[in-house]
Amino acid sequence: MRSFAPLVLSLLGATAAVHAAEPEVADADANVVTLTTDTFDEFVKEHPLVLAEFYAPWCGHCKALAPKYEEAATELKAKDIPVVKVDCTEEEELCRTYEVDGYPTLKVFRGPDSHKPYAGARKSDAIVSYMTKQSMPAVSNVNEENLEEFKALDKIVIIGYVASDDKAANESFTSFAESQRDNFLFAASNDAALAKAEGAKQPSIVLYKDFDEKKAVYDGKLEDEAILEWVKTASTPLVGELGPETYSKYMAAGIPLAYIFAETPEEREQFAADFRPIAESHRGAINIVTLDAKLFGAHAGNLNLEPEKFPAFAIQDTTKNAKYPYDQNKKVDAKDVGKFIKDVLDGKVDPSLKSEPIPETQEGSVTVVVGRNYQEVVIDNEKDVLVEFYAPWCGHCKSLAPKYDELAALYADVSELNEKVTVAKVDATANDVPDSITGFPTIKLYPAGAKDSPIEYAGSRTVEDLVTFIKENGKYQVDGLADGAKTPEERAEVTAAPKATESPASEEKDIHDEL
């Protein structure tokens, strides 16, 4: 393990000053340094760690980020971590070199030849936290003198208390720290007396945090998977605040998420206090969050709640996308809702299912799927099923519709193919589906015999390419354009359809933002 001294100001060593002979460089004393093609490589060579934003002046997201970026730069400058920006409308070649395909793009540089995407939230404190982690060794050494200083470096820090002669434990902790260094600050101490003073023993891990009970101790097996599960739970507030910066973390937690919608900060604060004991009793089984109903009240509709009747409560099983809305005619009382939470976790409550009526007859070649027949049509059969998840308002979905109808006809009109392949569609705004759909249209193939491993389509939206996708990924390898599938004249008509000129990456999806 690398040594940890002194703590902040000398983390990176002395940084070279920008050459006075390079007038192209903006004022190096600025918090955010403006770089150009002529100055970029030299600047990142001279600084061991640099955060760079590639932007366009007209970009709305860039304008929204600017004050947060400036605030983060001010704080990071005191830690000798330069923050820079590049105007891609002026420096097109430089931005192409670093594969910038959207604005803003943030990248972390360790010299011009070593860079990776910034993976944190676009908030000033998140940027500071992420870059501080990048500046530190994977595992720093702490002792009695610098322990408190280290604990104050971030909202969450993790310290392993491991004896120096415990080679296996040291290797396990270091390996875990390396894998999670983008997410947390890590340190280690081999001082048994210090461990005891911190309420730990050797070997163990202590997670320090600036919320809830302030610290948690892990003394189980030092195995990556077990440690990660513990860290996920221990680092999550008992009752957190849900927003754009935290949404993805909660969605990836792998356990149900309970939402408390409230319109005022005072209400949310009171609900957090009332529900904290309930969250503690179910810790690791469910996460509970408050949500600003004025900003994100529309999300209530996604949970089968009335989106304008608050306060409100609902549970979402994020792995199955099952939803359990609490009766909005009842008061959101912690005691009563606590019983509801327990019943949901015990499997005593049936999930709510939003669904259009099952079609009495299927009109057209594309099979219409709704919430109530999704399992039957898509999952519980021995057919390869291609499903388009669409939204009625989605422009790209409307453009795809005639080609998707042509595709479906290739299989529906030939009995031997119809027995093996179904081409279906579902309005994902009006029907609950097990999959989490974030953009429209989304197209997935559910192969026979492997329904639990659907394959998402990412190619050009042409009939010919979709036929190839079904053939190459389906169980039966059916070719909808093969001899016998259609007459030569019909096949010629289909294959003559123009191919899209844009790549999937450049053909922008209509995004349905949940938060």
Side-chain angles (χ1 to χ4, degrees):
M1 299 178 190
R2 292 172 58 185
S3 63
F4 171 65
L7 259 165
V8 176
L9 296 180
S10 299
L11 293 176
L12 304 176
T15 55
V18 179
H19 289 181
E22 294 179 350
E24 298 90 345
V25 177
D27 182 4
D29 291 329
N31 293 325
V32 179
V33 180
T34 300
L35 297 180
T36 67
T37 302
D38 294 333
T39 60
F40 189 88
D41 282 0
E42 189 64 28
F43 188 91
V44 296
K45 282 179 183 177
E46 293 178 341
H47 297 83
L49 181 68
V50 176
L51 176 63
E53 177 200 8
F54 298 88
Y55 75 100
W58 47 259
C59 164
H61 293 297
C62 303
K63 294 175 182 177
L65 174 63
K68 304 168 190 173
Y69 199 63
E70 175 73 25
E71 185 179 344
T74 303
E75 192 168 342
L76 289 171
K77 184 178 179 182
K79 300 185 179 187
D80 287 333
I81 303 175
V83 173
V84 306
K85 63 181 179 180
V86 175
D87 181 348
C88 288
T89 64
E90 297 288 339
E91 312 299 334
E92 295 181 11
E93 185 59 36
L94 178 64
C95 294
R96 277 195 294 269
T97 298
Y98 291 111
E99 301 175 336
V100 176
D101 56 9
Y103 307 120
T105 291
L106 290 99
K107 290 180 180 282
V108 178
F109 284 81
R110 298 180 188 276
D113 299 323
S114 177
H115 58 87
K116 67 177 183 179
Y118 167 80
R122 293 176 183 174
K123 301 275 284 186
S124 58
D125 58 347
I127 293 171
V128 171
S129 175
Y130 186 89
M131 292 306 296
T132 300
K133 295 180 182 73
Q134 296 300 307
S135 72
M136 303 283 286
V139 180
S140 302
N141 285 339
V142 292
N143 52 42
E144 186 178 358
E145 287 72 33
N146 63 23
L147 175 63
E148 293 304 318
E149 191 177 359
F150 183 85
K151 285 158 60 174
L153 284 179
D154 206 1
K155 293 181 178 180
I156 296 172
V157 299
I158 300 173
I159 299 179
Y161 293 95
V162 184
S164 57
D165 59 354
D166 191 340
K167 182 179 178 182
N170 276 297
E171 288 179 351
S172 295
F173 181 71
T174 300
S175 172
F176 178 75
E178 288 281 3
S179 70
Q180 294 295 316
R181 66 175 302 168
D182 285 356
N183 302 317
F184 303 101
L185 279 180
F186 290 89
S189 170
N190 58 19
D191 187 340
L194 184 59
K196 184 177 180 180
E198 292 299 306
K201 60 182 181 180
Q202 294 179 325
S204 63
I205 302 171
V206 179
L207 183 146
Y208 299 90
K209 48 192 172 180
D210 66 355
F211 53 87
D212 293 341
E213 71 276 31
K214 304 302 181 182
K215 72 177 181 180
V217 180
Y218 177 80
D219 56 8
K221 292 183 178 180
L222 293 186
E223 298 173 351
D224 278 11
E225 187 173 337
I227 301 172
L228 182 58
E229 286 304 309
W230 172 78
V231 167
K232 282 183 179 180
T233 300
S235 64
T236 302
L238 286 172
V239 182
E241 177 85 11
L242 190 67
E245 298 79 29
T246 58
Y247 182 76
S248 59
K249 176 184 176 181
Y250 281 111
M251 286 293 104
I255 59 176
L257 180 61
Y259 302 77
I260 305 169
F261 290 84
E263 295 180 300
T264 69
E266 292 77 15
E267 279 185 306
R268 293 192 293 276
E269 186 177 342
Q270 186 60 55
F271 278 127
D274 292 345
F275 277 80
R276 195 164 284 119
I278 298 170
E280 177 66 47
S281 66
H282 295 296
R283 190 164 206 165
I286 189 170
N287 285 322
I288 301 178
V289 295
T290 60
L291 192 63
D292 187 336
K294 288 184 177 179
L295 288 177
F296 308 117
H299 187 59
N302 298 325
L303 300 168
N304 299 349
L305 290 165
E306 293 182 41
E308 295 183 0
K309 191 174 181 179
F310 304 114
F313 180 88
I315 296 173
Q316 180 184 12
D317 184 330
T318 57
T319 58
K320 300 177 182 177
N321 203 24
K323 301 160 187 179
Y324 304 85
Y326 187 71
D327 188 346
Q328 285 175 277
N329 293 317
K330 297 180 179 179
K331 181 181 178 182
V332 181
D333 175 78
K335 182 179 179 180
D336 293 337
V337 175
K339 185 179 184 304
F340 177 75
I341 292 173
K342 187 176 187 307
D343 287 344
V344 170
L345 294 177
D346 290 343
K348 296 178 180 179
V349 180
D350 292 328
S352 166
L353 181 65
K354 180 169 63 177
S355 177
E356 295 176 298
I358 297 176
E360 293 184 5
T361 59
Q362 291 286 352
E363 298 180 2
S365 301
V366 179
T367 299
V368 176
V369 180
V370 298
R372 291 195 183 96
N373 70 354
Y374 183 93
Q375 189 72 21
E376 175 188 354
V377 176
V378 179
I379 306 299
D380 294 339
N381 57 69
E382 291 301 317
K383 298 175 72 172
D384 294 333
V385 183
L386 186 75
V387 182
E388 177 202 1
F389 301 88
Y390 74 95
W393 45 259
C394 163
H396 293 302
C397 302
K398 293 174 183 177
S399 298
L400 173 64
K403 290 180 279 187
Y404 203 68
D405 288 340
E406 288 182 29
L407 173 73
L410 295 175
Y411 303 93
D413 295 349
V414 181
S415 60
E416 58 266 33
L417 301 187
N418 189 32
E419 293 172 358
K420 297 177 180 178
V421 176
T422 294
V423 176
K425 66 180 180 180
V426 58
D427 179 350
T429 68
N431 299 276
D432 284 336
V433 295
D435 301 66
S436 178
I437 306 300
T438 58
F440 302 113
T442 292
I443 301 173
K444 294 186 179 186
L445 179 68
Y446 295 78
K451 302 286 189 172
D452 58 344
S453 302
I455 305 162
E456 185 166 347
Y457 181 69
S460 298
R461 294 171 189 159
T462 65
V463 173
E464 190 174 20
D465 286 345
L466 284 163
V467 167
T468 301
F469 175 70
I470 294 171
K471 177 183 177 182
E472 292 180 349
N473 295 283
K475 174 181 178 180
Y476 303 108
Q477 299 183 328
V478 170
D479 187 348
L481 294 172
D483 289 338
K486 302 294 276 182
T487 67
E489 293 78 11
E490 289 172 321
R491 291 202 309 276
E493 183 178 347
V494 171
T495 55
K499 294 191 75 171
T501 56
E502 290 185 304
S503 68
S506 63
E507 186 175 14
E508 189 175 307
K509 280 186 178 181
D510 282 309
I511 298 300
H512 172 61
D513 288 326
E514 300 242 339
L515 283 173

CSV table of all heavy atoms in Angstrom, one decimal, residues 83-123:
chain,number,residue,atom,x,y,z
A,83,VAL,N,-8.8,22.0,-13.8
A,83,VAL,CA,-10.1,21.8,-14.5
A,83,VAL,C,-10.1,22.6,-15.7
A,83,VAL,O,-9.8,23.8,-15.6
A,83,VAL,CB,-11.3,22.1,-13.6
A,83,VAL,CG1,-12.6,22.1,-14.3
A,83,VAL,CG2,-11.4,21.2,-12.4
A,84,VAL,N,-10.3,22.0,-16.9
A,84,VAL,CA,-10.2,22.8,-18.1
A,84,VAL,C,-11.4,22.6,-19.0
A,84,VAL,O,-12.3,21.7,-18.7
A,84,VAL,CB,-8.9,22.3,-18.9
A,84,VAL,CG1,-7.7,22.4,-18.1
A,84,VAL,CG2,-9.1,20.9,-19.5
A,85,LYS,N,-11.5,23.4,-20.1
A,85,LYS,CA,-12.6,23.2,-21.0
A,85,LYS,C,-12.1,23.5,-22.4
A,85,LYS,O,-11.1,24.2,-22.6
A,85,LYS,CB,-13.7,24.2,-20.7
A,85,LYS,CG,-13.4,25.6,-20.8
A,85,LYS,CD,-14.6,26.5,-20.4
A,85,LYS,CE,-14.3,28.0,-20.4
A,85,LYS,NZ,-15.4,28.8,-20.1
A,86,VAL,N,-12.8,22.8,-23.4
A,86,VAL,CA,-12.4,23.0,-24.8
A,86,VAL,C,-13.7,23.2,-25.6
A,86,VAL,O,-14.7,22.5,-25.5
A,86,VAL,CB,-11.7,21.7,-25.3
A,86,VAL,CG1,-11.5,21.8,-26.8
A,86,VAL,CG2,-10.4,21.4,-24.6
A,87,ASP,N,-13.7,24.3,-26.4
A,87,ASP,CA,-14.8,24.7,-27.2
A,87,ASP,C,-14.7,23.8,-28.5
A,87,ASP,O,-13.9,24.1,-29.4
A,87,ASP,CB,-14.8,26.2,-27.5
A,87,ASP,CG,-16.0,26.6,-28.4
A,87,ASP,OD1,-16.7,25.8,-28.9
A,87,ASP,OD2,-16.1,27.8,-28.5
A,88,CYS,N,-15.6,22.9,-28.7
A,88,CYS,CA,-15.5,22.0,-29.8
A,88,CYS,C,-16.0,22.6,-31.1
A,88,CYS,O,-15.7,22.1,-32.2
A,88,CYS,CB,-16.3,20.7,-29.5
A,88,CYS,SG,-15.6,19.6,-28.3
A,89,THR,N,-16.7,23.8,-31.0
A,89,THR,CA,-17.0,24.5,-32.3
A,89,THR,C,-15.8,25.2,-32.9
A,89,THR,O,-15.7,25.5,-34.1
A,89,THR,CB,-18.1,25.5,-32.0
A,89,THR,OG1,-17.6,26.5,-31.2
A,89,THR,CG2,-19.3,24.8,-31.4
A,90,GLU,N,-14.8,25.4,-32.0
A,90,GLU,CA,-13.5,26.0,-32.5
A,90,GLU,C,-12.4,25.0,-32.6
A,90,GLU,O,-11.5,25.2,-33.5
A,90,GLU,CB,-13.1,27.1,-31.4
A,90,GLU,CG,-14.0,28.2,-31.3
A,90,GLU,CD,-14.0,29.2,-32.5
A,90,GLU,OE1,-13.0,29.1,-33.2
A,90,GLU,OE2,-15.0,29.9,-32.7
A,91,GLU,N,-12.5,23.9,-31.9
A,91,GLU,CA,-11.4,22.9,-31.9
A,91,GLU,C,-11.9,21.6,-32.3
A,91,GLU,O,-11.9,20.6,-31.6
A,91,GLU,CB,-10.7,22.8,-30.5
A,91,GLU,CG,-10.4,24.1,-29.8
A,91,GLU,CD,-9.4,25.0,-30.6
A,91,GLU,OE1,-8.6,24.3,-31.4
A,91,GLU,OE2,-9.4,26.2,-30.5
A,92,GLU,N,-12.5,21.5,-33.5
A,92,GLU,CA,-13.1,20.3,-34.0
A,92,GLU,C,-12.2,19.1,-34.1
A,92,GLU,O,-12.6,18.0,-33.7
A,92,GLU,CB,-13.7,20.6,-35.4
A,92,GLU,CG,-14.9,21.6,-35.4
A,92,GLU,CD,-15.5,21.9,-36.7
A,92,GLU,OE1,-15.2,21.1,-37.7
A,92,GLU,OE2,-16.2,22.8,-36.9
A,93,GLU,N,-11.0,19.3,-34.6
A,93,GLU,CA,-10.1,18.2,-34.8
A,93,GLU,C,-9.7,17.6,-33.4
A,93,GLU,O,-9.6,16.4,-33.2
A,93,GLU,CB,-8.8,18.7,-35.5
A,93,GLU,CG,-7.9,17.5,-35.9
A,93,GLU,CD,-8.5,16.4,-36.7
A,93,GLU,OE1,-9.3,16.8,-37.6
A,93,GLU,OE2,-8.2,15.2,-36.5
A,94,LEU,N,-9.4,18.5,-32.4
A,94,LEU,CA,-9.1,18.0,-31.1
A,94,LEU,C,-10.2,17.2,-30.5
A,94,LEU,O,-10.0,16.1,-29.9
A,94,LEU,CB,-8.7,19.2,-30.2
A,94,LEU,CG,-8.4,18.8,-28.7
A,94,LEU,CD1,-7.1,18.0,-28.7
A,94,LEU,CD2,-8.2,20.1,-27.9
A,95,CYS,N,-11.4,17.6,-30.7
A,95,CYS,CA,-12.6,16.9,-30.1
A,95,CYS,C,-12.8,15.6,-30.8
A,95,CYS,O,-13.2,14.6,-30.2
A,95,CYS,CB,-13.8,17.8,-30.2
A,95,CYS,SG,-13.7,19.2,-29.1
A,96,ARG,N,-12.5,15.5,-32.1
A,96,ARG,CA,-12.6,14.2,-32.9
A,96,ARG,C,-11.5,13.3,-32.3
A,96,ARG,O,-11.7,12.1,-32.2
A,96,ARG,CB,-12.4,14.5,-34.4
A,96,ARG,CG,-13.7,14.9,-35.1
A,96,ARG,CD,-13.6,14.7,-36.6
A,96,ARG,NE,-12.6,15.6,-37.1
A,96,ARG,CZ,-12.9,16.9,-37.6
A,96,ARG,NH1,-14.2,17.3,-37.5
A,96,ARG,NH2,-12.0,17.7,-38.1
A,97,THR,N,-10.3,13.8,-32.0
A,97,THR,CA,-9.2,13.0,-31.5
A,97,THR,C,-9.6,12.2,-30.3
A,97,THR,O,-9.3,11.1,-30.1
A,97,THR,CB,-8.0,13.8,-31.3
A,97,THR,OG1,-7.5,14.4,-32.5
A,97,THR,CG2,-6.8,13.0,-30.7
A,98,TYR,N,-10.4,12.9,-29.4
A,98,TYR,CA,-10.8,12.3,-28.2
A,98,TYR,C,-12.2,11.8,-28.2
A,98,TYR,O,-12.9,11.6,-27.2
A,98,TYR,CB,-10.6,13.3,-27.0
A,98,TYR,CG,-9.1,13.6,-26.8
A,98,TYR,CD1,-8.5,14.8,-27.1
A,98,TYR,CD2,-8.3,12.6,-26.3
A,98,TYR,CE1,-7.2,15.0,-26.9
A,98,TYR,CE2,-6.9,12.8,-26.1
A,98,TYR,CZ,-6.4,14.0,-26.4
A,98,TYR,OH,-5.0,14.2,-26.2
A,99,GLU,N,-12.7,11.5,-29.4
A,99,GLU,CA,-14.0,10.8,-29.7
A,99,GLU,C,-15.2,11.5,-28.9
A,99,GLU,O,-16.0,10.8,-28.3
A,99,GLU,CB,-13.9,9.3,-29.2
A,99,GLU,CG,-12.8,8.6,-30.0
A,99,GLU,CD,-12.5,7.2,-29.5
A,99,GLU,OE1,-12.9,6.9,-28.4
A,99,GLU,OE2,-12.1,6.4,-30.3
A,100,VAL,N,-15.2,12.8,-29.0
A,100,VAL,CA,-16.4,13.5,-28.4
A,100,VAL,C,-17.5,13.4,-29.4
A,100,VAL,O,-17.4,13.9,-30.5
A,100,VAL,CB,-16.0,15.0,-28.2
A,100,VAL,CG1,-17.2,15.7,-27.6
A,100,VAL,CG2,-14.8,15.0,-27.2
A,101,ASP,N,-18.6,12.8,-29.0
A,101,ASP,CA,-19.8,12.7,-29.8
A,101,ASP,C,-21.1,13.3,-29.2
A,101,ASP,O,-22.2,13.0,-29.7
A,101,ASP,CB,-20.0,11.2,-30.2
A,101,ASP,CG,-20.2,10.3,-29.0
A,101,ASP,OD1,-20.3,10.8,-27.9
A,101,ASP,OD2,-20.2,9.1,-29.2
A,102,GLY,N,-20.9,14.1,-28.2
A,102,GLY,CA,-22.1,14.7,-27.5
A,102,GLY,C,-21.6,15.8,-26.6
A,102,GLY,O,-20.4,15.7,-26.1
A,103,TYR,N,-22.4,16.7,-26.2
A,103,TYR,CA,-22.0,17.8,-25.3
A,103,TYR,C,-22.9,17.8,-24.1
A,103,TYR,O,-24.1,17.6,-24.2
A,103,TYR,CB,-22.1,19.1,-26.1
A,103,TYR,CG,-21.3,19.2,-27.4
A,103,TYR,CD1,-22.0,19.4,-28.5
A,103,TYR,CD2,-20.0,18.9,-27.4
A,103,TYR,CE1,-21.3,19.5,-29.7
A,103,TYR,CE2,-19.3,18.9,-28.6
A,103,TYR,CZ,-19.9,19.2,-29.8
A,103,TYR,OH,-19.3,19.2,-30.9
A,104,PRO,N,-22.4,18.2,-22.9
A,104,PRO,CA,-20.9,18.2,-22.7
A,104,PRO,C,-20.4,16.8,-22.5
A,104,PRO,O,-21.1,15.9,-22.0
A,104,PRO,CB,-20.8,19.0,-21.4
A,104,PRO,CG,-22.1,18.6,-20.6
A,104,PRO,CD,-23.2,18.5,-21.7
A,105,THR,N,-19.1,16.6,-22.9
A,105,THR,CA,-18.4,15.3,-22.6
A,105,THR,C,-17.3,15.7,-21.6
A,105,THR,O,-16.5,16.6,-21.8
A,105,THR,CB,-17.8,14.7,-23.9
A,105,THR,OG1,-18.8,14.3,-24.7
A,105,THR,CG2,-16.9,13.6,-23.5
A,106,LEU,N,-17.2,15.0,-20.5
A,106,LEU,CA,-16.2,15.2,-19.5
A,106,LEU,C,-15.3,14.0,-19.5
A,106,LEU,O,-15.7,12.8,-19.5
A,106,LEU,CB,-16.8,15.4,-18.1
A,106,LEU,CG,-17.5,16.7,-17.9
A,106,LEU,CD1,-19.0,16.6,-18.1
A,106,LEU,CD2,-17.1,17.3,-16.6
A,107,LYS,N,-14.0,14.2,-19.5
A,107,LYS,CA,-13.0,13.1,-19.5
A,107,LYS,C,-11.9,13.4,-18.4
A,107,LYS,O,-11.5,14.6,-18.2
A,107,LYS,CB,-12.3,12.9,-20.9
A,107,LYS,CG,-13.3,12.3,-21.9
A,107,LYS,CD,-12.6,12.2,-23.3
A,107,LYS,CE,-13.5,11.6,-24.3
A,107,LYS,NZ,-13.7,10.2,-24.2
A,108,VAL,N,-11.4,12.4,-17.8
A,108,VAL,CA,-10.3,12.5,-16.9
A,108,VAL,C,-9.0,12.1,-17.6
A,108,VAL,O,-8.9,11.0,-18.1
A,108,VAL,CB,-10.5,11.5,-15.7
A,108,VAL,CG1,-9.4,11.6,-14.7
A,108,VAL,CG2,-11.8,11.9,-15.0
A,109,PHE,N,-8.0,13.0,-17.6
A,109,PHE,CA,-6.7,12.7,-18.3
A,109,PHE,C,-5.6,12.5,-17.3
A,109,PHE,O,-5.5,13.2,-16.3
A,109,PHE,CB,-6.4,13.9,-19.1
A,109,PHE,CG,-7.2,14.0,-20.4
A,109,PHE,CD1,-8.5,14.5,-20.4
A,109,PHE,CD2,-6.7,13.5,-21.6
A,109,PHE,CE1,-9.2,14.6,-21.6
A,109,PHE,CE2,-7.4,13.6,-22.8
A,109,PHE,CZ,-8.7,14.1,-22.8
A,110,ARG,N,-4.8,11.5,-17.6
A,110,ARG,CA,-3.5,11.3,-16.9
A,110,ARG,C,-2.4,11.3,-18.0
A,110,ARG,O,-1.9,10.3,-18.4
A,110,ARG,CB,-3.5,10.0,-16.2
A,110,ARG,CG,-4.5,10.0,-15.0
A,110,ARG,CD,-4.4,8.6,-14.3
A,110,ARG,NE,-5.5,8.5,-13.3
A,110,ARG,CZ,-5.5,8.9,-12.1
A,110,ARG,NH1,-4.5,9.6,-11.7
A,110,ARG,NH2,-6.6,8.8,-11.3
A,111,GLY,N,-2.2,12.5,-18.6
A,111,GLY,CA,-1.4,12.6,-19.8
A,111,GLY,C,-2.2,12.5,-21.0
A,111,GLY,O,-3.4,12.0,-21.0
A,112,PRO,N,-1.8,13.0,-22.2
A,112,PRO,CA,-2.6,13.0,-23.4
A,112,PRO,C,-3.0,11.6,-23.9
A,112,PRO,O,-3.9,11.5,-24.7
A,112,PRO,CB,-1.7,13.8,-24.4
A,112,PRO,CG,-0.3,13.6,-23.9
A,112,PRO,CD,-0.4,13.6,-22.4
A,113,ASP,N,-2.2,10.6,-23.6
A,113,ASP,CA,-2.5,9.3,-24.1
A,113,ASP,C,-3.2,8.4,-23.1
A,113,ASP,O,-3.5,7.2,-23.4
A,113,ASP,CB,-1.1,8.6,-24.4
A,113,ASP,CG,-0.4,9.3,-25.5
A,113,ASP,OD1,-1.1,9.9,-26.4
A,113,ASP,OD2,0.9,9.4,-25.4
A,114,SER,N,-3.6,8.9,-22.0
A,114,SER,CA,-4.3,8.1,-21.0
A,114,SER,C,-5.5,8.9,-20.5
A,114,SER,O,-5.4,9.9,-19.8
A,114,SER,CB,-3.4,7.8,-19.8
A,114,SER,OG,-4.2,7.1,-18.8
A,115,HIS,N,-6.7,8.5,-20.9
A,115,HIS,CA,-7.9,9.2,-20.5
A,115,HIS,C,-9.1,8.2,-20.4
A,115,HIS,O,-9.1,7.2,-21.0
A,115,HIS,CB,-8.2,10.3,-21.5
A,115,HIS,CG,-8.4,9.9,-22.9
A,115,HIS,ND1,-9.6,9.4,-23.4
A,115,HIS,CD2,-7.5,9.7,-23.9
A,115,HIS,CE1,-9.5,9.1,-24.6
A,115,HIS,NE2,-8.2,9.2,-25.0
A,116,LYS,N,-10.1,8.6,-19.6
A,116,LYS,CA,-11.3,7.8,-19.5
A,116,LYS,C,-12.5,8.7,-19.2
A,116,LYS,O,-12.3,9.9,-18.8
A,116,LYS,CB,-11.1,6.8,-18.3
A,116,LYS,CG,-11.0,7.4,-16.9
A,116,LYS,CD,-11.0,6.3,-15.9
A,116,LYS,CE,-11.0,7.0,-14.5
A,116,LYS,NZ,-10.9,5.9,-13.4
A,117,PRO,N,-13.7,8.3,-19.5
A,117,PRO,CA,-14.8,9.1,-19.2
A,117,PRO,C,-15.0,9.4,-17.8
A,117,PRO,O,-14.8,8.6,-16.9
A,117,PRO,CB,-16.0,8.3,-19.8
A,117,PRO,CG,-15.4,7.3,-20.7
A,117,PRO,CD,-14.1,7.0,-20.1
A,118,TYR,N,-15.4,10.7,-17.5
A,118,TYR,CA,-15.8,11.0,-16.1
A,118,TYR,C,-17.1,10.3,-15.8
A,118,TYR,O,-18.1,10.3,-16.6
A,118,TYR,CB,-16.0,12.5,-16.0
A,118,TYR,CG,-16.8,13.0,-14.7
A,118,TYR,CD1,-16.1,13.1,-13.6
A,118,TYR,CD2,-18.1,13.3,-14.8
A,118,TYR,CE1,-16.7,13.5,-12.4
A,118,TYR,CE2,-18.8,13.7,-13.6
A,118,TYR,CZ,-18.1,13.8,-12.4
A,118,TYR,OH,-18.7,14.2,-11.3
A,119,ALA,N,-17.2,9.6,-14.7
A,119,ALA,CA,-18.3,8.7,-14.4
A,119,ALA,C,-19.2,9.2,-13.2
A,119,ALA,O,-20.0,8.4,-12.7
A,119,ALA,CB,-17.8,7.3,-14.1
A,120,GLY,N,-19.0,10.4,-12.8
A,120,GLY,CA,-19.8,10.9,-11.7
A,120,GLY,C,-21.0,11.7,-12.1
A,120,GLY,O,-21.2,11.9,-13.3
A,121,ALA,N,-21.7,12.3,-11.1
A,121,ALA,CA,-22.8,13.1,-11.4
A,121,ALA,C,-22.3,14.5,-11.8
A,121,ALA,O,-21.2,14.9,-11.4
A,121,ALA,CB,-23.7,13.2,-10.2
A,122,ARG,N,-23.2,15.3,-12.5
A,122,ARG,CA,-22.8,16.6,-12.9
A,122,ARG,C,-23.2,17.7,-11.9
A,122,ARG,O,-24.0,18.6,-12.1
A,122,ARG,CB,-23.4,16.9,-14.3
A,122,ARG,CG,-22.8,16.1,-15.4
A,122,ARG,CD,-23.5,16.3,-16.7
A,122,ARG,NE,-23.0,15.4,-17.8
A,122,ARG,CZ,-23.5,15.4,-19.0
A,122,ARG,NH1,-24.5,16.1,-19.3
A,122,ARG,NH2,-23.0,14.5,-19.9
A,123,LYS,N,-22.7,17.5,-10.7
A,123,LYS,CA,-22.9,18.4,-9.6
A,123,LYS,C,-21.6,18.8,-9.0
A,123,LYS,O,-20.6,18.0,-9.0
A,123,LYS,CB,-23.8,17.8,-8.5
A,123,LYS,CG,-25.1,17.3,-9.0
A,123,LYS,CD,-26.2,18.4,-8.9
A,123,LYS,CE,-26.7,18.6,-7.6
A,123,LYS,NZ,-27.8,19.6,-7.5
